[in-house]
Amino acid sequence: MTTEKSNMIEFRDVHKYYGDYHALRGINATIRAGEFFSLLGPSGCGKTTLLRTIAGFEDISSGAVMIDGKNMANVPANVRPTNMVFQSYAIFPHLTVEENVGFGLRRDPRSKEEKAMAVAEALEMVGLKGYGKRAAHALSGGQRQRVALARALILKPKVLLLDEPLSALDKKMREQMQVELIKLQRQVGITFILVTHDQEEALVMSDRIAVMFEGQIAQLADPETLYRRPASRKVADFIGTMNFLPAQILSDSGATVEVEAAGFGRMSLSPDQVMGSPSAEGATIGLRPETLTILFEGQAATDREVLGTVEEVVYYGDMTYYDVKLDGASSPMRLSMRNVPGRPVLDRGAKARLGWSPGAVVLFR
Amino acid sequence: MSKNPSLKIYAIAYLIFLYAPIALLPVFAFNDSRVIAFPLAGFTTNWFAEMWADNQLFKAFRNSLTIATTSAVIATALGIFAARASTRYKFPGKGGVLGLIMLPMVLPEMIISMSLLVVLIAVGVPLSIFTIILGHVLICTPFAVAILTSAFQSLDRSLEEAAYDLGESPASTFRLIILPLVMPGIISSLLICFTISLDEFIIAYFLGGNQSVLSVYIFGQFRFPAKVPAVMALGFVLVCISVCLLTIAEYFRRRGIAKTGGKDTGGFL
Amino acid sequence: MEPGSTPGRFRNSEAANGLFMVSPPAIYAVLLLAAPLIAMVLYSLMVDSKVGLSSGLTFDNYLKVWTGRIDQALMIRSLTVSAMVTLVTVLLAYPVAYFVSFHVKPEKKSMWLFLITIPFWTSYLIRVFLWKVILGYNGVINSGLMSIGIIDEPLTIINYSLGSMIMTLAHAYAAFAILPIFVSLEKIDRSFLEAGQDLGESKFRTFIRVTLPLSMPGVIAAVLIVFIPTIGDYVTPELIGGGKLPMIANRIEAIMLKQNDKALGSAIAMTAMLIVALVSIVFILLNRRFLRGQSK
């Protein structure tokens, strides 16, 4: 991977209206060359619309979309340096696998033999060597997906756009394709932009993720930052699970923020743990389930410790989820424990000591 | 759901009711008697010979072929435009425009032919094969639109976008992707429009002037009881042709559905 | 930027492309359908005399048509025949559509539909003519019954009667009625019916309370699709009715072409269109009520 990354895509205050409906509400973002970028959000958030503005299938109402430094206004889809893998794959049903993959080479000046070589190479790259003569409509979902990839990549686009490419596959196939897509992206080094509503998929595959709600980017960050330091309660809720607890801000010196929350007591947080700007609404602290640990007999807390009562136990095989009501707090906290050999599963009603660390806390103002 | 034998018996009886009159065609087409009545008089192929020898029939048949072919081609071409517009674009007045195009489907043919006749006479267009074609295109187009709309609808919009994305122009996308995929719909539209035009009587009767076509010829023969057996023979031939055309149309319709990976919802209409 | 005020280049071009795309069939329909119909409306408001059409507009033709005894009788006969045909066709067709939709295996459904539609696509004239042959004085039924000795003299009630006209038309439009009913039955979610029976309803009650109301839009479509062409039928009154029982279409021809009174003929045609439109509107409103009743 390259270390010095230039900007491949740049959105400058992009707005999109469908009649009165405001689908994109001022998108400003840059996507770097060679990165695996994801647009993540619930359905209707505008992620697919944004992707289609890059491909040229949607005109924007105002603002600018730049690809590799060039403004794409008035550049139609068929001459843009992008190619797309469609959600339905859009494999041409009346053509063979070969004809599908080689479709974009029709205007290519290369000789027939060279083109056939390119098609064979592309098929091999996606693991479909020898499938060239098959009828496209006779393929399985996973194979169609690969044909769609080969067909798009054979044109060596600057950007590959993937519109929910894995949503039609079953869970196992999806996980396998996730790994293959990452490998493929590293191999070809092209900028991949993936649209997905599956937060796990986005976390697994992406270098960076833009989380979108209602036509706006709520947060743009790498997966770890997004998970550990979500910019808002909404982002935190969309990506994984988070416990929220009302909190009181005692002091804010700029360097540290003193907070008190029922059950947890006082804690001081560094500025990178504090999200949003001060508001009249009450503050909330958030804790991921795995940052709370049950301390079994003889175990000491690494940082701080609170007491509570187990209210609910959900056993998942590899994990156990607990709802624990802290002494002094009103609502229970969800926490997860890995089931390792020798570790007991607590019963409902059991008393538990919980270890936690202020460093894992996020404060939303 | 349990089997209900009485319902099945009724359905079969209904099919017999539908087919019984048609079944009489071969019976009397090969019956050696000028009178269409029981008991049957013996086997003959005379009526086919008599039909074959009739020059007027050939002339009418040639006219009908010209009209049906031309009307089918024009109506299908117009149908492609309408179906494409209705499935792909949003535009002001869409409902009204498409409603007008589909209107002949729910208008008595007598009113269509009379209104056309009045205008043609007023404008001074002489009645001929051409005027029949004008009328037939009008009544065939709604059927073409209906068939082609379902063909265009079963096309995944992203196929078009994919071709465009891979560097093709809108025109070449239409030629390379859309046209091959809706071709079965086009063929079945052509065949059905052809059948409708061939069968149509009122417009052909009133807008044809002194040009005879097949349906008008048949209608004329009904006045002569002696000609009835030959008409039965002709009817038998026509039914065979229709069944062949329909079978081909149905084959292409199903193939079209299979090709685009859609689900068969049955029926032509 | 104001939403709506600048809908964007794409939407504008989409509307323009759509209008461009639809223009060939639209222009054709305007020139050869809308314009002639408008001309007919104008004709119907004039007076046709030997010297030519008058320039002033008048409702005299309509008055003549609506109060004339012959025309009234004709309208009533046409309405009776097409109403009877519609009733018979739809009643006979419903069980068949129900059978194909509920009792035929999915892979065999299109075969059944194909069988049902084939007779519909064979020559209409020939089919009407066959009924004449079947029902005529020396026809198939009479000669058949006489040859096996059930009757001694030909039955006369079956030829040149309203009954035989209704029979002929009901046969001709059978497929027209089955298809829309079948389509509406196919759309019914089968779990509704199971739910009905699960709640302790008998099969018959489930049919009356669930299936029948849900298939009503198809029944109404069938009614319209049969009623409209039958009321304007020309061939059957001519052949089966022997010209003695003319309907609207025959009357239009007689006035327009034989008496050469285009104004009066146009008024009759427009009146027929008005009747068709009124009946259609009534049934479309009924359909709306059914749909609204369902969504509640």
Side-chain angles (χ1 to χ4, degrees):
Chain A
M1 269 200 277
T2 47
T3 43
E4 188 72 24
K5 282 175 176 171
S6 57
N7 288 341
M8 178 52 79
I9 307 275
E10 196 180 339
F11 297 109
R12 289 186 190 157
D13 198 28
V14 171
H15 287 264
K16 169 74 184 173
Y17 292 93
Y18 291 107
D20 288 343
Y21 179 65
H22 200 170
L24 296 177
R25 307 178 176 202
I27 302 290
N28 281 296
T30 53
I31 298 170
R32 297 171 196 144
E35 81 176 327
F36 200 127
F37 192 91
S38 289
L39 295 167
L40 172 67
S43 62
C45 72
K47 57 189 191 298
T48 298
T49 307
L50 190 59
L51 189 81
R52 291 167 60 87
T53 65
I54 305 173
F57 296 137
E58 303 280 355
D59 277 358
I60 53 176
S61 307
S62 71
V65 176
M66 318 282 288
I67 301 180
D68 206 13
K70 287 192 204 70
N71 193 333
M72 286 291 126
N74 299 317
V75 178
N78 52 350
V79 295
R80 291 195 186 190
T82 61
N83 283 113
M84 182 127 143
V85 174
F86 291 83
Q87 186 170 12
S88 61
Y89 312 141
I91 301 299
F92 305 129
H94 58 305
L95 303 179
T96 62
V97 168
E98 237 168 32
E99 288 167 327
N100 263 284
V101 174
F103 190 85
L105 299 179
R106 205 171 70 89
R107 289 152 194 262
D108 195 302
R110 280 182 285 175
S111 73
K112 238 182 179 174
E113 291 72 32
E114 284 173 304
K115 285 185 196 177
M117 285 269 288
V119 170
E121 264 170 41
L123 280 173
E124 193 169 353
M125 184 171 65
V126 295
L128 281 181
K129 194 178 173 183
Y131 279 77
K133 301 281 178 229
R134 296 237 186 145
H137 59 78
L139 298 178
S140 72
Q143 289 167 335
R144 279 161 193 250
Q145 162 89 72
R146 289 157 201 264
V147 173
L149 272 168
R151 184 177 71 180
L153 286 172
I154 199 170
L155 296 175
K156 306 223 167 12
K158 286 181 177 162
V159 183
L160 183 75
L161 307 170
L162 302 118
D163 184 7
E164 305 237 11
L166 305 178
S167 60
L169 303 177
D170 61 56
K171 192 170 184 288
K172 227 172 178 161
M173 192 72 212
R174 193 159 60 223
E175 282 167 2
Q176 189 190 332
M177 280 309 292
Q178 285 174 1
V179 178
E180 282 191 35
L181 270 176
I182 299 169
K183 282 188 187 158
L184 195 63
Q185 196 263 340
R186 282 186 198 144
Q187 187 190 330
V188 296
I190 291 171
T191 311
F192 276 35
I193 304 177
L194 172 86
V195 159
T196 181
H197 62 269
D198 182 342
Q199 42 102 6
E200 206 179 288
E201 187 172 296
L203 291 179
V204 168
M205 299 173 76
S206 321
D207 294 323
R208 291 196 305 150
I209 301 169
V211 181
M212 290 182 70
F213 295 115
E214 288 156 6
Q216 282 171 315
I217 294 179
Q219 189 173 8
L220 196 164
D222 60 273
E224 198 189 342
T225 310
L226 213 54
Y227 189 78
R228 288 190 49 226
R229 299 284 183 257
S232 65
R233 277 189 66 163
K234 215 170 164 185
V235 172
D237 224 14
F238 190 73
I239 295 171
T241 315
M242 192 174 244
N243 293 299
F244 296 110
L245 212 66
Q248 211 149 17
I249 298 171
L250 303 172
S251 71
D252 183 356
S253 72
T256 55
V257 181
E258 286 285 320
V259 177
E260 181 167 13
F264 287 97
R266 283 169 173 243
M267 62 194 96
S268 58
L269 306 174
S270 63
D272 72 298
Q273 288 171 272
V274 181
M275 303 297 161
S277 41
S279 70
E281 285 168 52
T284 313
I285 59 163
L287 273 160
R288 294 285 186 196
E290 65 279 5
T291 61
L292 291 160
T293 24
I294 294 178
L295 300 170
F296 293 95
E297 255 171 76
Q299 273 184 301
T302 47
D303 198 341
R304 293 171 63 170
E305 188 179 316
V306 285
L307 290 174
T309 314
V310 175
E311 286 201 331
E312 198 61 70
V313 183
V314 186
Y315 182 74
Y316 269 88
D318 61 335
M319 305 281 284
T320 305
Y321 284 82
Y322 295 97
D323 284 346
V324 179
K325 191 170 166 299
L326 301 187
D327 295 349
S330 54
S331 57
M333 307 292 282
R334 166 66 52 98
L335 66 93
S336 61
M337 294 293 288
R338 186 154 288 284
N339 292 330
V340 293
R343 178 181 287 174
V345 173
L346 296 183
D347 291 325
R348 273 198 321 194
K351 291 281 172 198
R353 287 188 300 135
L354 304 183
W356 67 284
S357 161
V361 170
V362 185
L363 174 71
F364 303 105
R365 294 194 285 205
Chain B
M1 212 133 296
S2 69
K3 288 267 171 270
N4 193 339
S6 59
L7 209 51
K8 183 164 191 174
I9 291 165
Y10 174 78
I12 290 169
Y14 190 87
L15 273 187
I16 293 171
F17 164 69
L18 280 185
Y19 279 89
I22 295 161
L24 291 177
L25 277 176
V27 171
F28 289 103
F30 292 106
N31 183 34
D32 193 6
S33 164
R34 276 214 186 267
V35 186
I36 304 295
F38 285 110
L40 297 176
F43 182 83
T44 179
T45 51
N46 281 351
W47 311 124
F48 288 90
E50 188 178 312
M51 175 191 96
W52 195 252
D54 191 340
N55 272 333
Q56 265 191 304
L57 170 63
F58 273 94
K59 202 167 160 265
F61 192 62
R62 250 202 323 274
N63 284 343
S64 275
L65 282 186
T66 312
I67 292 165
T69 310
T70 318
S71 305
V73 170
I74 298 175
T76 302
L78 293 177
I80 291 173
F81 280 101
R84 174 82 174 149
S86 109
T87 51
R88 174 67 170 72
Y89 297 101
K90 276 186 203 148
F91 51 91
K94 185 174 174 179
V97 172
L98 290 172
L100 179 68
I101 294 168
M102 299 303 277
L103 185 63
M105 229 177 191
V106 295
L107 218 51
E109 273 174 32
M110 193 55 153
I111 292 176
I112 297 177
S113 62
M114 283 303 146
S115 63
L116 263 176
L117 183 66
V118 164
V119 168
L120 290 172
I121 289 173
V123 178
V125 179
L127 299 180
S128 65
I129 289 177
F130 172 70
T131 47
I132 300 178
I133 292 172
L134 286 183
H136 280 187
V137 169
L138 205 55
I139 58 161
C140 288
T141 305
F143 287 90
V145 174
I147 294 163
L148 290 165
T149 299
S150 80
F152 275 101
Q153 241 160 15
S154 59
L155 263 188
D156 182 356
R157 168 86 180 266
S158 58
L159 289 175
E160 217 176 294
E161 287 179 344
Y164 199 45
D165 187 56
L166 293 167
E168 297 297 338
S169 67
S172 61
T173 298
F174 191 82
R175 185 167 57 81
L176 294 169
I177 302 299
I178 300 172
L179 211 53
L181 288 174
V182 296
M183 193 44 87
I186 292 174
I187 291 170
S188 78
S189 161
L190 284 173
L191 289 171
I192 279 170
C193 292
F194 182 88
T195 313
I196 292 171
S197 168
L198 199 65
D199 193 29
E200 204 285 332
F201 168 68
I202 293 181
I203 288 172
Y205 188 49
F206 293 114
L207 298 187
N210 53 11
Q211 288 288 343
S212 178
V213 302
L214 200 57
S215 57
V216 176
Y217 169 86
I218 294 171
F219 190 74
Q221 298 301 299
F222 293 157
R223 265 174 289 160
F224 314 111
K227 296 271 191 168
V228 168
V231 174
M232 294 295 252
L234 174 61
F236 181 62
V237 172
L238 287 180
V239 166
C240 291
I241 294 174
S242 295
V243 170
C244 286
L245 289 181
L246 285 171
T247 310
I248 297 169
E250 173 71 4
Y251 169 78
F252 276 105
R253 196 186 61 82
R254 286 195 194 174
R255 217 182 70 167
I257 288 164
K259 224 177 183 182
T260 48
K263 226 182 90 194
D264 193 355
T265 46
F268 289 109
L269 294 177
Chain C
M1 172 164 291
E2 284 291 305
S5 64
T6 35
R9 193 167 56 85
F10 182 72
R11 286 185 65 79
N12 272 333
S13 71
E14 178 176 324
N17 282 341
L19 283 171
F20 174 74
M21 193 59 82
V22 85
S23 59
I27 290 169
Y28 194 91
V30 165
L31 288 181
L32 287 146
L33 182 66
L37 287 177
I38 292 166
M40 218 175 188
V41 172
L42 289 179
Y43 268 119
S44 73
L45 296 172
M46 295 178 180
V47 174
D48 202 349
S49 63
K50 294 240 159 46
V51 249
L53 289 159
S54 71
S55 53
L57 297 182
T58 165
F59 274 102
D60 284 359
N61 296 313
Y62 287 100
L63 269 177
K64 231 188 261 177
V65 173
W66 294 347
T67 55
R69 201 172 280 166
I70 299 175
D71 287 313
Q72 274 183 355
L74 249 148
M75 300 276 173
I76 288 168
R77 177 187 297 143
S78 301
L79 269 172
T80 316
V81 168
S82 53
M84 285 302 294
V85 169
T86 309
L87 188 73
V88 169
T89 324
V90 172
L91 281 183
L92 289 179
Y94 195 97
V96 179
Y98 184 85
F99 170 75
V100 177
S101 176
F102 282 76
H103 294 275
V104 172
K105 288 192 194 105
E107 65 272 17
K108 284 195 176 163
K109 278 181 185 171
S110 43
M111 199 261 300
W112 269 87
L113 289 179
F114 189 53
L115 280 178
I116 288 165
T117 35
I118 281 184
F120 166 73
W121 291 106
T122 57
S123 170
Y124 175 64
L125 269 180
I126 297 272
R127 270 180 297 144
V128 173
F129 173 70
L130 281 167
W131 281 102
K132 183 185 164 79
V133 167
I134 292 167
L135 299 168
Y137 186 77
N138 290 315
V140 170
I141 287 187
N142 275 336
S143 67
L145 290 178
M146 274 161 69
S147 72
I148 53 175
I150 292 181
I151 52 169
D152 300 325
E153 271 175 41
L155 300 169
T156 49
I157 41 156
I158 55 173
N159 36 60
Y160 299 146
S161 69
L162 279 185
S164 34
M165 275 166 61
I166 291 167
M167 182 81 178
T168 306
L169 286 166
H171 181 261
Y173 289 98
F176 264 152
I178 290 180
L179 290 180
I181 299 174
F182 170 78
V183 169
S184 71
L185 285 171
E186 280 293 279
K187 280 188 193 150
I188 297 176
D189 186 345
R190 297 305 195 251
S191 59
F192 282 167
L193 310 182
E194 281 158 18
Q197 283 178 21
D198 194 47
L199 295 170
E201 298 274 7
S202 72
K203 270 200 173 143
F204 180 69
R205 298 263 304 164
T206 308
F207 173 77
I208 296 291
R209 290 188 54 183
V210 184
T211 315
L212 192 59
L214 286 177
S215 62
M216 233 32 208
V219 172
I220 285 165
V223 164
L224 285 179
I225 225 165
V226 174
F227 179 84
I228 293 167
T230 48
I231 198 170
D233 192 76
Y234 172 85
V235 177
T236 303
E238 202 71 9
L239 285 180
I240 302 288
K244 297 183 186 76
L245 297 163
M247 286 174 38
I248 294 179
N250 313 81
R251 179 73 174 162
I252 295 172
E253 184 214 4
I255 301 288
M256 277 254 192
L257 301 182
K258 293 184 182 137
Q259 296 184 20
N260 202 19
D261 188 339
K262 296 201 177 56
L264 191 60
S266 298
I268 298 174
M270 284 301 130
T271 307
M273 253 182 93
L274 209 66
I275 293 174
V276 169
L278 278 177
V279 172
S280 307
I281 288 166
V282 167
F283 277 97
I284 287 166
L285 287 180
L286 272 178
N287 197 13
R288 287 242 172 100
R289 279 199 56 170
F290 261 109
L291 291 179
R292 207 174 310 141
Q294 277 171 34
S295 61
K296 254 178 203 167

